[in-house]
Every structure is written in C-alpha cells, then in structure tokens.
Amino acid sequence: PRYRAELIKADAEARKTLTEKGMTLRDATPDELKKLRELTKPITDEWVGKSGDVGKQMLNTAIQACS
C-alpha cells in the first residue's frame, strides 16, 4: 500500500507518454487475464513450493493488491 499511489501515478505517466508518441495501448480483457493466470500457475506454484509460507503470503498479498 505504501508505494501503490506512486506506482499508479508512474503507470499513468508512462501510458500518457507512450500514447503521445503514437503507441496504441490496451488493457488485457478478463478472459486474457484468466488465461495468463492459468498459464503461469505452474510457475507460481513452484516458486511458492520453494519459498514456503513466506512466499505464499507474499504472492497472495501481491495478487490482492493488483485485484
């Protein structure tokens, strides 16, 4: 939460700069996000398995912050 506002601001500034330079941006659709999560689940599961409870807590915190 501490850096969330700064990240949101930096993202907005980057998007503005990129669109000003002619780039077309779009956000992923809910279906695309679902597919991405499915594809990366084996990777995150492996990482959590190596990282234990602390890694699981970190991952869950990151997921909640981005939802």
Side-chain angles (χ1 to χ4, degrees):
R2 180 174 158 189
Y3 299 106
R4 182 97 170 123
E6 292 176 29
L7 290 171
I8 291 169
K9 181 181 175 188
D11 181 66
E13 290 171 359
R15 286 174 169 264
K16 182 178 181 225
T17 299
L18 291 170
T19 55
E20 286 173 351
K21 293 186 179 282
M23 184 176 279
T24 301
L25 302 174
R26 71 171 189 83
D27 293 322
T29 66
D31 286 341
E32 290 169 333
L33 290 174
K34 181 180 176 186
K35 180 74 173 174
L36 177 62
R37 288 187 183 107
E38 290 171 0
L39 290 170
T40 58
K41 188 169 182 345
I43 298 166
T44 55
D45 287 349
E46 180 182 349
W47 181 81
V48 167
K50 292 178 181 177
S51 303
D53 290 339
V54 172
K56 185 175 183 178
Q57 183 179 3
M58 288 172 60
L59 180 62
N60 287 337
T61 299
I63 290 169
Q64 288 175 350
C66 294
S67 297

